[in-house]
């Protein structure tokens, strides 16, 4: 990449201007005054990520990212070029080949980030985009130029990673009162409700509820109630019971009956757990409870409204919620799971210990 000082660039621009004014008796050329950068894209970039090998040791894996898959916006008024969809975490933006198109075949220069010099842009030279860079494009006539600031955005977090931190009992109480407790009002007086199945299938203990708006209809919500039946009356129960109901919120709405989600033939039902609790988070239902040894169960996920429930590594528990391998954990008596308006998920045990977590991408603005 050939570098030029800024005074020299001005002299070259002046020379180009003078040359454009000299006529020829045989042939005339038109040199345009207007100029702009009209397209910007990246080539292939390297990406480095940490991976855990089968023997438990960590290593660094090198892969590639197709930069052309990430669209760059060009704000002609603010003279900014940037990618709203950031490149994946671990992408190396230090040596990047890019393609730049200028209007009317203008000349593109790259300004040095620390010195008063510029270099001619070529599509084969790699550029360091780990910090904002300035591009200068001159018109054919040399009379005008524009400067653009280029930002190549790279995520600093894994998009689907759930990050937990501990919270105080007071914070947990406040959050529960604001976001969790109001959901208890969704649990109906079943004697006043229309049911599609036998009332003997209704939950009578460890009952929890949540509601959410359907993605297919913004005027319709679904209420989901989960819970257990009494082991005194149903000693063979090993599964939870799940009921749901649609609620219409438009002027032509009508009352729907409660639907029992049968476990017959279901390979992945929700298991019975003490202190069963459910929440709606990240466009799916999450449920947990206490196992027989008093520890918190892995989170079960349902993406179909409460029929099929699977454990999902995308929603891990806080690493220290069940203590360490060498710790004699006192069995928990209760657990609560709920979400707040800031896309955060809360887990509270024994109304004392609390964790608040969020999937990284749900916190990006």
């Amino acid at each position: 990449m050939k570098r030029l000082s800024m005074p020299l660039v001005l002299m070259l621009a002046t020379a180009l201007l003078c040359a454009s004014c000299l006529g020829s008796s045989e042939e005339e050329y038109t040199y345009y005054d207007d100029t702009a950068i009209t397209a910007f894209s990246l080539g292939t970039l390297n990406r480095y990520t940490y991976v855990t090998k089968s023997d438990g040791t960590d290593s660094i894996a090198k892969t590639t990212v197709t930069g052309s898959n990430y669209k760059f916006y060009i704000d002609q008024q603010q003279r900014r070029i940037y990618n709203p969809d950031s490149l994946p975490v671990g992408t190396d933006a230090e040596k990047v080949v890019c393609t730049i198109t200028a209007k009317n075949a203008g000349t593109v220069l790259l300004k040095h980030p620390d010195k008063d010099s510029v270099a001619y842009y070529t599509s084969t030279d790699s550029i360091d985009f780990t910090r904002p860079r300035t591009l200068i494009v001159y018109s054919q006539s040399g009379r005008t130029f524009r400067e653009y600031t280029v930002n190549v955005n790279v995520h600093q977090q894994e998009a689907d990673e759930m990050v937990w931190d501990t919270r105080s009992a007071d914070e947990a109480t406040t959050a529960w009162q604001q976001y969790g407790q109001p959901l208890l009002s969704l649990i109906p007086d079943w004697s006043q409700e229309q049911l599609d199945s036998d009332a003997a299938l209704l939950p009578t203990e460890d009952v929890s509820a949540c509601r959410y708006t359907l993605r297919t209809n913004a005027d319709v919500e679904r209420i989901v109630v989960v819970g257990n039946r009494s082991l005194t009356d149903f000693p063979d129960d090993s599964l939870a019971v799940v009921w749901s109901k649609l609620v219409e919120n438009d002027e032509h709405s009508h009352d729907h009956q409660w639907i029992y989600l049968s476990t017959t033939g279901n390979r992945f039902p929700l298991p019975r757990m003490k202190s069963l609790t459910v929440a709606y988070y990240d466009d799916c239902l999450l449920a947990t409870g206490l196992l027989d040894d008093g520890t918190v169960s892995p989170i079960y996920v349902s993406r179909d409204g409460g029929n099929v429930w699977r454990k999902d590594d995308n929603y891990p528990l806080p690493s220290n919620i069940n203590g360490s391998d060498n710790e004699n954990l006192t069995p928990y008596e209760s657990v609560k799971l709920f979400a707040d308006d800031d896309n955060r998920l809360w887990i509270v045990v024994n109304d004392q210990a609390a964790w608040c977590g969020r999937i990284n991408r749900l916190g990006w603005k």
Side-chain angles (χ1 to χ4, degrees):
M1 186 177 287
K2 187 175 181 181
R3 299 195 176 279
L4 305 171
S5 65
M6 288 300 293
L8 180 56
V9 171
L10 294 176
M11 291 174 61
L12 291 174
T14 302
L16 179 61
L17 174 61
C18 293
S20 67
C21 295
L22 296 177
S24 171
S25 59
E26 297 181 357
E27 189 174 1
E28 292 186 358
Y29 295 92
T30 300
Y31 293 91
Y32 296 96
D33 289 336
D34 58 333
T35 188
I37 291 178
T38 57
F40 182 97
S41 64
L42 301 180
T44 301
L45 301 90
N46 292 324
R47 184 188 183 197
Y48 301 93
T49 55
Y50 287 96
V51 295
T52 301
K53 296 190 293 186
S54 58
D55 61 2
T57 60
D58 293 332
S59 63
I60 297 177
K62 177 183 176 181
T63 56
T64 58
V65 175
T66 304
S68 58
N69 290 339
Y70 294 81
K71 182 178 179 180
F72 276 76
Y73 286 179
I74 301 177
D75 185 336
Q76 298 292 357
Q77 291 189 340
Q78 300 294 325
R79 311 288 172 85
R80 293 180 58 231
I81 302 173
Y82 61 97
N83 52 317
D85 185 9
S86 297
L87 297 167
V89 63
T91 301
D92 183 7
E94 186 174 359
K95 296 179 180 179
V96 182
V97 174
C98 60
T99 301
I100 305 172
T101 304
K103 184 178 182 181
N104 297 325
T107 301
V108 179
L109 304 172
L110 176 67
K111 189 174 182 180
H112 194 283
D114 301 315
K115 301 177 183 178
D116 187 23
S117 64
V118 295
Y120 284 112
Y121 154 76
T122 65
S123 60
T124 57
D125 287 333
S126 60
I127 301 174
D128 182 0
F129 281 114
T130 57
R131 52 179 166 170
R133 299 301 301 270
T134 299
L135 295 176
I136 306 172
V137 55
Y138 279 89
S139 65
Q140 277 188 331
S141 67
R143 293 188 180 95
T144 60
F145 69 92
R146 284 189 173 195
E147 287 192 6
Y148 293 83
T149 299
V150 182
N151 292 89
V152 175
N153 298 314
V154 180
H155 280 307
Q156 302 304 306
Q157 301 172 317
E158 289 285 0
D160 292 320
E161 181 182 7
M162 172 74 83
V163 179
W164 293 96
D165 56 53
T166 56
R167 295 301 175 96
S168 68
D170 288 342
E171 289 177 299
T173 298
T174 300
W176 169 253
Q177 291 175 346
Q178 184 173 359
Y179 300 107
Q181 196 169 41
L183 296 177
L184 298 179
S185 64
L186 298 176
I187 302 171
D189 177 356
W190 296 109
S191 64
Q192 305 300 315
E193 299 292 326
Q194 300 179 40
L195 309 177
D196 81 326
S197 300
D198 193 334
L201 294 168
L202 292 171
T204 57
E205 56 189 48
D206 303 316
V207 185
S208 178
C210 66
R211 72 189 304 163
Y212 61 93
T213 301
L214 299 187
R215 283 177 288 179
T216 55
N217 191 334
D219 292 324
V220 180
E221 294 178 308
R222 173 176 280 120
I223 300 175
V224 177
V225 174
V226 303
N228 299 318
R229 299 191 299 178
S230 169
L231 286 178
T232 302
D233 299 326
F234 303 94
D236 296 329
D237 270 8
S238 61
L239 303 177
V241 291
V242 183
W243 290 75
S244 74
K245 177 183 178 178
L246 295 179
V247 178
E248 298 181 12
N249 297 312
D250 58 26
E251 58 181 344
H252 303 294
S253 63
H254 66 278
D255 192 27
H256 290 263
Q257 64 180 348
W258 283 91
I259 307 297
Y260 169 66
L261 304 185
S262 175
T263 58
T264 302
N266 186 351
R267 295 175 55 201
F268 302 99
L270 182 63
R272 178 189 179 93
M273 291 177 281
K274 178 184 176 183
S275 193
L276 185 61
T277 178
V278 67
Y280 186 74
Y281 183 75
D282 192 27
D283 292 333
C284 57
L285 294 168
L286 307 182
T288 188
L290 298 180
L291 301 176
D292 292 340
D293 62 358
T295 60
V296 179
S297 163
I299 292 176
Y300 286 82
V301 180
S302 175
R303 303 183 186 278
D304 62 357
N307 284 286
V308 174
W309 297 84
R310 299 173 186 264
K311 297 176 184 178
D312 193 324
D313 292 339
N314 289 320
Y315 305 92
L317 292 172
S319 59
N320 60 340
I321 193 170
N322 286 324
S324 59
D325 292 338
N326 58 358
E327 183 179 354
N328 186 17
L329 179 72
T330 301
Y332 293 130
E333 295 295 326
S334 67
V335 59
K336 295 173 180 176
L337 180 72
F338 59 95
D340 65 18
D341 288 342
D342 199 25
N343 288 324
R344 297 178 300 182
L345 191 65
W346 290 77
I347 296 181
V348 184
V349 293
N350 293 350
D351 293 324
Q352 292 294 324
W355 292 261
C356 180
R358 180 165 56 194
I359 294 177
N360 286 329
R361 60 180 160 75
L362 298 182
W364 295 342
K365 303 299 184 182

